[in-house]
Amino acid sequence: MSIDITTAAKVAKLARIKVEDDALPALAEEFNAILGFIEQLEEVDVEGVAPMTSVTPQRLKRREDVVMDGDQQEKVLSNAPDAREGFFAVPKVVE
Amino acid sequence: MLDLTYETPKPKVIAGAKHDWELVIGLEVHAQVASNAKLFSGASTTFGAEPNSNVAFVDAAMPGMLPVINEFCVAQAVRTGLGLKADINLWSAFDRKNYFYPDLPQGYQISQLYHPIVGEGEVLVELGDGTARLVRVERIHLEQDAGKSIHDMDPNMSFVDLNRTGVALMEIVSRPDIRGPEEAAAYVVKLRQIMQYLGTCDGNMQNGNLRADVNVSVCRPGDYEKYQETQDFSHLGTRCEIKNMNSMRFIQQAIEVEARRQIAIIEDGGEVVQETRLYDPDKGETRSMRSKEEAHDYRYFPCPDLLPLEIEQGWVDDIANDLPELPDEKKARFISDFGLSDYDASVLTAETAAAAFFEKVAEGRDGKLAANWVINELFGRLKKDEKEITESPVSPDQLGGIITLITKGDISGKIAKDLFEIVYTEGGDPAEIVEARGMKQVTDTGAIEAAVDQVIADNPAQVAKAKENPKLAGWFVGQVMKATGGKANPKAVNEIVAKKLAD
């Protein structure tokens, strides 16, 4: 698989990262290098091997159904560029 | 499973300009898990709180914050799965669904695309006309809800509240087994009922705790049967998905409108494009959400912050052993134990609170009579006052007391209605009220005979007519009931009037 400039531009757009047109060829090259590495990995026969999900044997940590967080509106909003009446205020996004 | 057997309903047929068409519908129902805290944080799920007050830093996606799963939410999903007789997957995993929207600060939703916690199940959807559809459930997965954007507070800005962000949702995905708008609504009603019984989702659609995405396609009669035989989707038409509906009425309207739109396109020689659409109830049309199409490249991948979710069979068994009686079973029991009609049993089992109320009233009494009183008198009266069964001023004991007085013959049915109104508005013990206010039925035949004699003596002309036309006896019965203030035993009055007129 090879990533062309159009695909690179699409990936950048999906990631909401602005990439100037003249930077796209280099970006596509980088993607291809990464994919090349993945293709190399795909040569290994992993038939019947379960995907590894953790380096050490661990069980997913659970929490109890107890409210022990929240109630910190001011802190939650403190980094927002714009907040009004307890809400984050963002440029209009209605359809 | 049950000794209730139903016929399969006929699919809805819409006549196009050229042919008849059938509908094929599948639903994705998003049900908010009833829990105190969110799926991956310790913030509250309470509805209607001050904006952004139920927000942990995990929910706000602050850098470095990691999700920790709420075990109760997992149990709720398992419980729901068991309630739908579904397979429970002891090994499931979370994936990231990537998209940007202001009410999703992480930039992705944690969901379960590849390995959902619940597999195949089923829902029996009764349609009230003696038919029922068995709808297959494909899967249930756990995922995070998004926040809420408010667009009408400012002309240029949208306001975002993250209180709902990260609340646990169960997405319940059906197979395309639903064949009409009414069936679709009935399916959602039944799902909601089952979850309310289980206590896994409160089902409040107004608050957005239950929402549905509806997949609609149309096909020619006969095509669906081919699909069923082969499970090959190529026999069905191209589907469109109508997003985010939160009322039974809109679900039905949207399906009808969308089906007609697709039929018009096909009959015009065009092709339906698979896409996401929105239903506009004001205009009565669906429209494309094209702007969202590109964003639909979700680039799912396993969530690196969460290990796979492994649960033990013993834990699942404990939940299974603790399941309450479910609607289908309760209904079957009401029919067999209390001799109720299918309809009455359905009405009484619609909500657990109503079913429990009825059972207390019916205990040791005539089931059918109890059902009549709960459904016709109590429900009717509560509806007039816009009260829920849980707010009933009449307790099961009080209503039961009234019914006991009727069966003992102490009061007539008519007086019982007056008594019910007194108990409803003033409270008190029915038997004591009857004593104190002299409402007891007169069964003393001597007293009734005297009253009948009096009416006959006062109305010689009517007597003459009645002798020729026995149907006029009813008039005398009415007069006697009036004279005794409705307290005379109607059966005794009937008999005595008939006897006296025949003399």
Side-chain angles (χ1 to χ4, degrees):
Chain A
M1 185 182 174
S2 157
I3 301 278
D4 58 17
I5 292 175
T6 319
T7 312
K10 189 188 170 196
V11 172
K13 193 181 172 201
L14 283 171
R16 298 292 189 276
I17 293 172
K18 186 176 180 184
V19 179
E20 300 298 342
D21 283 351
D22 56 4
L24 284 173
L27 185 66
E29 265 318 295
E30 275 184 54
F31 281 146
N32 281 320
I34 295 166
L35 288 178
F37 173 63
I38 303 287
E39 272 166 26
Q40 213 179 335
L41 287 178
E42 275 180 349
E43 289 169 17
V44 182
D45 181 9
V46 291
E47 188 70 32
V49 181
M52 187 179 77
T53 51
S54 173
V55 185
T56 54
Q58 281 187 68
R59 185 175 184 262
L60 176 67
K61 282 214 168 50
R62 275 88 157 150
R63 67 163 68 240
E64 281 182 49
D65 185 33
V66 175
V67 176
M68 39 160 284
D69 208 338
D71 213 2
Q72 48 178 356
Q73 188 197 60
E74 207 175 305
K75 282 185 186 168
V76 165
L77 296 171
S78 61
N79 291 317
D82 192 358
R84 301 178 201 177
E85 295 172 59
F87 293 92
F88 291 92
V90 301
K92 199 103 172 164
V93 284
V94 76
E95 284 272 327
Chain B
M1 172 188 69
L2 295 170
D3 47 355
L4 299 175
T5 45
Y6 296 94
E7 298 229 357
T8 305
K10 294 217 163 40
K12 165 134 183 154
V13 175
I14 294 182
K18 295 177 183 162
H19 318 283
D20 280 353
W21 296 89
E22 289 181 5
L23 280 62
V24 180
I25 300 158
L27 270 82
E28 294 164 21
V29 171
H30 300 262
Q32 185 182 317
V33 173
S35 67
N36 298 318
K38 296 184 180 182
L39 182 55
F40 294 116
S41 88
S44 168
T45 60
T46 311
F47 180 83
E50 178 78 2
N52 293 303
S53 61
N54 292 342
V55 182
F57 291 139
V58 186
D59 310 317
M62 290 297 172
M65 301 307 297
L66 290 172
V68 179
I69 198 163
N70 180 336
E71 189 165 38
F72 181 71
C73 294
V74 178
Q76 290 287 58
V78 168
R79 196 169 285 127
T80 304
L82 292 169
L84 304 185
K85 300 174 176 62
D87 304 328
I88 306 299
N89 295 322
L90 299 181
W91 195 96
S92 65
F94 290 96
D95 306 294
R96 287 186 180 177
K97 178 183 183 176
N98 298 281
Y99 67 95
F100 287 103
Y101 206 72
D103 56 22
L104 186 82
Q106 288 169 151
Y108 55 84
Q109 177 193 35
I110 303 179
S111 182
Q112 296 188 301
L113 178 68
Y114 300 110
H115 302 284
I117 185 155
V118 177
E120 300 214 355
E122 62 185 36
V123 181
L124 183 70
V125 182
E126 293 130 292
L127 295 164
D129 58 356
T131 66
R133 177 83 65 194
L134 193 64
V135 177
R136 292 171 301 161
V137 169
E138 182 185 321
R139 57 188 282 160
I140 304 176
H141 59 256
L142 273 170
E143 63 183 25
Q144 300 174 297
D145 205 346
K148 205 168 101 184
S149 301
I150 298 164
H151 305 293
D152 55 7
M153 283 175 71
D154 186 284
N156 305 312
M157 310 293 278
S158 288
F159 283 40
V160 180
D161 173 10
L162 300 183
N163 281 347
R164 215 177 57 190
T165 307
V167 169
L169 292 182
M170 297 176 279
E171 180 171 330
I172 305 164
V173 183
S174 86
R175 298 270 182 203
D177 290 354
I178 299 163
R179 308 300 315 280
E182 299 78 16
E183 283 184 34
Y187 167 77
V188 177
V189 168
K190 187 60 180 285
L191 264 188
R192 180 172 68 174
Q193 184 194 22
I194 292 170
M195 290 191 288
Q196 285 171 337
Y197 268 59
L198 293 166
T200 56
C201 170
D202 73 10
N204 187 328
M205 294 185 94
Q206 263 177 341
N207 292 356
N209 296 355
L210 195 70
R211 321 190 281 274
D213 298 342
V214 184
N215 285 286
V216 182
S217 68
V218 295
C219 65
R220 300 291 307 281
D223 288 346
Y224 185 80
E225 288 70 20
K226 285 183 203 150
Y227 153 72
Q228 271 197 319
E229 270 167 39
T230 58
Q231 294 294 308
D232 178 355
F233 287 106
S234 70
H235 294 294
L236 303 180
T238 304
R239 66 173 197 268
C240 287
E241 182 181 13
I242 315 162
K243 278 278 184 199
N244 221 6
M245 276 175 297
N246 64 351
S247 102
M248 306 294 179
R249 197 158 54 92
F250 291 164
I251 288 172
Q252 296 187 57
Q253 289 172 355
I255 291 170
E256 177 103 26
V257 163
E258 175 59 18
R260 288 184 187 280
R261 184 188 72 89
Q262 293 180 12
I263 292 167
I265 290 173
I266 301 168
E267 291 198 335
D268 236 24
E271 268 186 44
V272 175
V273 181
Q274 184 172 340
E275 62 179 356
T276 307
R277 301 180 68 85
L278 266 186
Y279 177 61
D280 182 338
D282 295 330
K283 292 186 182 152
E285 61 178 32
T286 65
R287 59 168 182 268
S288 175
M289 295 172 76
R290 278 202 191 90
S291 56
K292 272 213 163 177
E293 288 301 298
E294 182 154 87
H296 272 189
D297 189 345
Y298 290 132
R299 295 151 294 144
Y300 280 97
F301 63 87
C303 183
D305 288 340
L306 291 158
L307 287 164
L309 175 58
E310 293 181 81
I311 55 177
E312 292 73 40
Q313 186 61 48
W315 188 69
V316 175
D317 292 343
D318 287 347
I319 295 173
N321 292 333
D322 205 31
L323 283 193
E325 185 181 37
L326 290 167
D328 290 344
E329 287 135 32
K330 199 182 280 289
K331 184 178 158 186
R333 185 169 59 81
F334 278 16
I335 291 173
S336 66
D337 287 10
F338 296 112
L340 303 188
S341 67
D342 191 285
Y343 175 81
D344 283 357
S346 291
V347 172
L348 289 169
T349 54
E351 287 175 49
T352 42
F357 194 105
F358 163 74
E359 283 207 72
K360 276 188 214 148
V361 174
E363 201 183 332
R365 301 190 178 93
D366 181 78
K368 274 188 185 167
L369 190 59
N372 282 341
W373 273 85
V374 171
I375 294 172
N376 298 327
E377 302 307 321
L378 181 64
F379 287 180
R381 190 69 178 80
L382 290 172
K383 197 173 175 188
K384 205 169 129 192
D385 282 0
E386 293 178 357
K387 278 196 165 89
E388 297 294 322
I389 183 79
T390 47
E391 304 165 306
S392 169
V394 177
S395 72
D397 278 348
Q398 286 171 315
L399 185 54
I402 295 173
I403 293 168
T404 300
L405 290 168
I406 301 170
T407 37
K408 269 168 56 189
D410 282 359
I411 53 173
S412 66
K414 189 184 165 297
I415 292 286
K417 289 187 186 181
D418 299 339
L419 175 61
F420 173 81
E421 187 58 32
I422 294 169
V423 174
Y424 186 96
T425 47
E426 301 170 28
D429 176 60
E432 281 170 18
I433 294 169
V434 165
E435 277 303 329
R437 306 199 188 182
M439 296 168 81
K440 248 193 172 153
Q441 180 161 256
V442 179
T443 42
D444 169 10
T445 43
I448 296 173
E449 267 186 56
V452 174
D453 286 341
Q454 189 63 49
V455 173
I456 286 177
D458 289 350
N459 300 283
Q462 287 287 345
V463 176
K465 279 189 207 161
K467 280 191 190 285
E468 278 162 32
N469 181 3
K471 279 183 188 160
L472 290 178
W475 182 85
F476 287 91
V477 174
Q479 292 301 307
V480 174
M481 293 307 287
K482 208 167 159 187
T484 57
K487 286 184 290 182
N489 181 322
K491 195 165 156 265
V493 176
N494 265 316
E495 285 168 8
I496 293 166
V497 165
K499 198 178 100 214
K500 296 263 177 192
L501 286 176
D503 282 349

